Amino acid sequence: TFKKMRKSNNKITIMGLLANCSTDEARMLLKKYNYPNAKNRQELELLLAKMYKEAEDKKQIEKDFAEIHPHKIF
């Protein structure tokens, strides 16, 4: 999946990384914040961005993103 991301788009966003490498956890975040489940990873990326944009407490969303980031232990 990461290779597919690199080929299709030279810029990797945090939302794209979460959608493609932490898919299940990202879907759970959508549910936590009362967003609909995504049909695919591309939609998941868009919904994560929308969730962040609309969030009242961006710091909490950022903490949630950090918790599911695939490189958090790196």
Side-chain angles (χ1 to χ4, degrees):
T1 19
F2 186 72
K3 287 181 181 179
K4 288 179 187 175
M5 287 173 53
R6 293 292 280 167
K7 287 180 183 177
S8 64
N9 184 359
N10 287 334
K11 292 183 182 180
I12 298 173
T13 66
I14 185 77
M15 306 309 171
L17 188 64
L18 295 175
N20 285 284
C21 298
S22 299
T23 307
D24 293 339
E25 296 90 342
R27 289 182 186 279
M28 287 191 292
L29 272 183
L30 288 180
K31 186 175 181 179
K32 175 181 175 180
Y33 288 97
N34 298 314
Y35 279 80
N37 194 8
K39 295 174 187 159
N40 53 46
R41 289 180 179 172
Q42 186 175 19
E43 185 178 40
L44 180 56
E45 181 179 356
L46 294 173
L47 284 170
L48 289 171
K50 180 179 180 185
M51 181 178 74
Y52 181 75
K53 182 179 179 184
E54 295 175 351
E56 290 181 26
D57 188 355
K58 290 196 184 331
K59 289 211 181 271
Q60 182 57 52
I61 298 271
E62 290 167 359
K63 287 178 185 178
D64 291 338
F65 286 165
E67 279 299 309
I68 68 167
H69 193 283
H71 304 124
K72 73 177 184 177
I73 303 171
F74 191 34

